[in-house]
Amino acid sequence: MLRNSLRTTNSVCVRGFSTSSIARLAEPIENVKTKTPIDSISSSLFLSRVPIVTPTLGEFEKQYYKYQDELQRRLMWSFPYYYYFKKSSLAEAAFFKNQKWPISKEEGVFYPKGTPNIKHLRERSEKQVINVKEEEDENSKFKKESDVVKPIVPNSRITDADVKKDLKSLERKLDSTLYLIVQDKKSSEWKFPSFKYNAEERISALDEYATENIQNISQKDFNMFTVTNTPIHVVKYDSSNKVVNNASTNVASKEYIIKSHILAGDFVLNQKESQFKDYLWLSGEELPEYLSKDYYKQVEFLLADY
Amino acid sequence: MLTNTIKLQSGLGLSLSQRIMPASASISSMMAGTISSQFTRGKRTKSKSTMSQGTQRVVGQLSVMSAARKQPLRLKLTNEDLVRHQVVHNAWAMLQKQKRQVREEKLTKQFEAMQSAMEDLKHGVEDGGVLFGFGSKFEKTKKRVSLELRVPTEYPPNQVWNHKYSKSD
């Protein structure tokens, strides 16, 4: 009931987006007393493509995982071959043929790496390696397994778009999040796409407004998932259209950022019908090259971890 | 030795004697005390143990799960190796801690940004509270993450991106 009444009157005090009982204000109320008219408000879209592959590991991480893996193998129990292969069967013989046997203990021999300690055909002080290589018999009239079943080759983590450095492709940089930025026709500045409200039209919600407008300026259809109807950030500008960093400067216009992910389809800019002349899909690391310093400083913390 | 020979004889002649003289077969099996009525594949003709074959099979299966004779030697690290191991462990813990701190700071910042954006929407816009109302609206059915969002995998799928999407579908 309260929320419904709130749409019509502004006098009712309801805390928006509050999970804590103490509403923490980022800036004192005196500064926001001057209200911005609706035609200076815009809804900005933080559209991202989530990573398709897991993050690329650093050198230290790789070595650490390798070390842990080796430790685990060293501490593993021996393989109970006698359970899987019947004694003196052909399968057992084939299995034995593939194995590399540990050195056995003999009397009167000095072993520099320690006296062999073998149980279940395994040297107990080392990891056990089981070879399951397919037996190759050239005279066999049967086809080898590798001829019938294609060996599994994983797809490359580096795609054609990476090689061609195609900054407009959604198939580039699979291991990091990509963000859509557009270039304004007038100022030729790169920013997240933002759409100004029109005072004469009916006011629609920030998320709906941004979603509708971005679909309108695209030549192709695409599917997107808007995370929340609550704006994740507000970027303020002064009268000369510069980003306001401190609370004392007068605010002329504002951009409320809505968070969203692209799921399928492509965004292809329709230049004729929009205020933007170009678009790019960039990773978080590439963004500072294109965004202005002040703007990047404002949105940096919104970027995903990888 | 005596029981062994009886077992051997009864074991070898079982199928024949069972067919011809079931009564005598049951007597011989009673004498031997080893032949169970349970069917076992790959029946041994020679058996050293006095266990029935069913029991033997269970013992074999249990031995797979038991640690006896399968455990490797205890890992004995030299002092130098131990220090090295601890250094690796500490370095990893430090890296994780750093990552965690950066992440927590970022999340706090993001949360506060949402909060201040909503405060700003409430007090700083000349729209009669319409945008704030929409922004703070809670849907009755909880918003769910879209099923089309993919979990990152180690290698990309055959079709990296679905380019053929149309609204009419």
Side-chain angles (χ1 to χ4, degrees):
Chain A
M1 283 300 287
L2 260 177
R3 281 185 197 115
N4 288 339
S5 65
L6 184 133
R7 263 186 238 167
T8 47
T9 57
N10 199 20
S11 56
V12 185
C13 181
V14 176
R15 280 180 289 121
F17 189 73
S18 61
T19 46
S20 59
S21 55
I22 308 154
R24 279 192 285 178
L25 295 178
E27 51 186 284
I29 296 176
E30 300 94 63
N31 288 324
V32 285
K33 260 184 182 174
T34 48
K35 293 193 171 184
T36 319
I38 192 72
D39 50 4
S40 302
I41 300 285
S42 43
S43 177
S44 182
L45 196 67
F46 184 76
L47 189 62
S48 64
R49 188 224 60 189
V50 291
I52 286 167
V53 296
T54 48
T56 309
L57 298 178
E59 201 52 43
F60 175 63
E61 282 167 324
K62 258 188 222 166
Q63 285 174 354
Y64 180 79
Y65 285 135
K66 170 103 172 101
Y67 176 59
Q68 290 296 325
D69 186 55
E70 288 294 313
L71 264 183
Q72 199 194 11
R73 278 168 197 279
R74 164 66 178 78
L75 297 173
M76 227 178 229
W77 287 0
S78 307
F79 173 63
Y81 66 91
Y82 54 85
Y83 181 71
Y84 293 96
F85 302 104
K86 191 170 145 57
K87 205 173 181 182
S88 66
S89 65
L90 284 174
E92 192 199 44
F95 169 75
F96 282 164
K97 203 181 165 189
N98 273 333
Q99 306 314 311
K100 201 188 164 198
W101 301 114
I103 297 162
S104 54
K105 190 183 165 186
E106 272 176 66
E107 269 187 37
V109 179
F110 172 67
Y111 297 92
K113 284 183 181 176
T115 323
N117 185 340
I118 296 170
K119 262 178 198 171
H120 280 328
L121 307 176
R122 181 245 177 117
E123 170 57 55
R124 288 176 72 218
S125 64
E126 281 172 19
K127 70 170 179 182
Q128 189 180 18
V129 181
I130 301 285
N131 300 324
V132 281
K133 211 180 79 186
E134 187 188 339
E135 202 183 345
E136 283 178 28
D137 186 5
E138 285 174 13
N139 300 326
S140 172
K141 58 181 175 181
F142 298 109
K143 276 186 177 178
K144 272 185 284 179
E145 201 186 356
S146 54
D147 292 343
V148 183
V149 186
K150 273 187 189 171
I152 298 168
V153 182
N155 296 328
S156 169
R157 285 165 63 103
I158 293 161
T159 56
D160 290 345
D162 282 322
V163 178
K164 286 178 194 162
K165 290 180 182 167
D166 180 7
L167 298 182
K168 286 178 185 174
S169 169
L170 277 165
E171 293 187 4
R172 64 187 297 266
K173 292 235 173 187
L174 299 182
D175 62 343
S176 54
T177 315
L178 296 183
Y179 305 95
L180 175 70
I181 57 166
V182 289
Q183 192 177 27
D184 199 74
K185 269 181 185 168
K186 282 180 196 165
S187 61
S188 25
E189 265 187 20
W190 288 97
K191 268 202 295 188
F192 295 128
S194 70
F195 308 97
K196 260 206 168 118
Y197 272 96
N198 193 338
E200 287 152 18
E201 285 174 19
R202 191 183 64 86
I203 304 172
S204 56
L206 287 166
D207 55 326
E208 282 170 23
Y209 192 70
T211 318
E212 255 174 50
N213 276 289
I214 194 85
Q215 307 257 14
N216 287 344
I217 60 163
S218 174
Q219 290 174 17
K220 278 189 178 177
D221 286 349
F222 61 92
N223 191 12
M224 57 194 275
F225 167 69
T226 310
V227 180
T228 166
N229 49 358
T230 309
I232 53 168
H233 190 38
V234 54
V235 183
K236 295 166 186 174
Y237 297 89
D238 62 7
S239 48
S240 58
N241 219 13
K242 276 185 181 170
V243 178
V244 174
N245 282 323
N246 50 340
S248 56
T249 325
N250 279 331
V251 176
S253 61
K254 288 171 187 169
E255 273 176 13
Y256 291 91
I257 300 178
I258 293 292
K259 185 170 182 164
S260 185
H261 301 299
I262 186 165
L263 302 174
D266 281 297
F267 174 81
V268 179
L269 184 67
N270 190 345
Q271 287 173 328
K272 282 179 191 169
E273 288 176 25
S274 75
Q275 69 268 40
F276 309 116
K277 60 176 173 186
D278 203 5
Y279 74 99
L280 293 175
W281 285 102
L282 296 182
S283 70
E285 290 168 356
E286 294 160 338
L287 280 178
E289 289 172 35
Y290 290 83
L291 303 182
S292 73
K293 248 187 191 175
D294 286 335
Y295 187 76
Y296 180 70
K297 214 175 158 188
Q298 283 280 321
V299 298
E300 192 187 357
F301 69 96
L302 298 174
L303 307 178
D305 290 344
Y306 79 96
Chain B
M1 277 308 287
L2 190 71
T3 48
N4 268 350
T5 48
I6 293 168
K7 255 190 276 169
L8 195 65
Q9 283 168 357
S10 62
L12 283 169
L14 186 65
S15 56
L16 214 144
S17 59
Q18 255 184 341
R19 240 178 266 160
I20 305 164
M21 296 181 290
S24 70
S26 66
I27 290 164
S28 70
S29 69
M30 271 169 67
M31 279 168 68
T34 51
I35 299 156
S36 63
S37 57
Q38 203 177 354
F39 171 75
T40 39
R41 189 183 281 254
K43 202 163 89 61
R44 287 184 189 183
T45 48
K46 269 192 261 179
S47 175
K48 280 179 192 170
S49 71
T50 50
M51 276 187 290
S52 75
Q53 275 164 2
T55 320
Q56 263 178 24
R57 195 177 50 182
V58 171
V59 167
Q61 284 169 350
L62 284 175
S63 82
V64 171
M65 289 184 279
S66 100
R69 291 173 61 81
K70 283 205 291 295
Q71 276 184 326
L73 282 182
R74 237 183 78 199
L75 200 61
K76 281 178 194 160
L77 296 178
T78 59
N79 275 344
E80 199 184 333
D81 282 347
L82 202 64
V83 168
R84 196 178 289 146
H85 177 81
Q86 281 162 352
V87 166
V88 170
H89 180 80
N90 290 344
W92 182 256
M94 257 170 76
L95 184 75
Q96 297 310 307
K97 195 183 173 187
Q98 278 171 11
K99 276 186 184 172
R100 205 164 50 237
Q101 277 174 348
V102 169
R103 208 171 158 236
E104 274 167 14
E105 263 174 39
K106 207 185 218 179
L107 280 176
T108 320
K109 247 181 160 181
Q110 287 179 356
F111 179 75
E112 281 171 358
M114 273 179 107
Q115 218 166 20
S116 74
M118 281 310 273
E119 283 300 330
D120 194 277
L121 205 56
K122 189 177 173 185
H123 299 290
V125 186
E126 221 170 55
D127 65 337
V130 176
L131 285 181
F132 176 74
F134 281 131
S136 58
K137 193 173 74 182
F138 287 83
E139 281 160 35
K140 270 184 186 172
T141 51
K142 219 176 182 183
K143 190 159 191 169
R144 291 187 179 144
V145 174
S146 175
L147 287 175
E148 280 144 315
L149 265 178
R150 234 182 124 264
V151 176
T153 47
E154 200 159 346
Y155 296 100
N158 289 336
Q159 186 199 10
V160 179
W161 189 257
N162 175 16
H163 295 281
K164 289 174 191 166
Y165 173 83
S166 72
K167 270 184 201 167
S168 52
D169 291 349

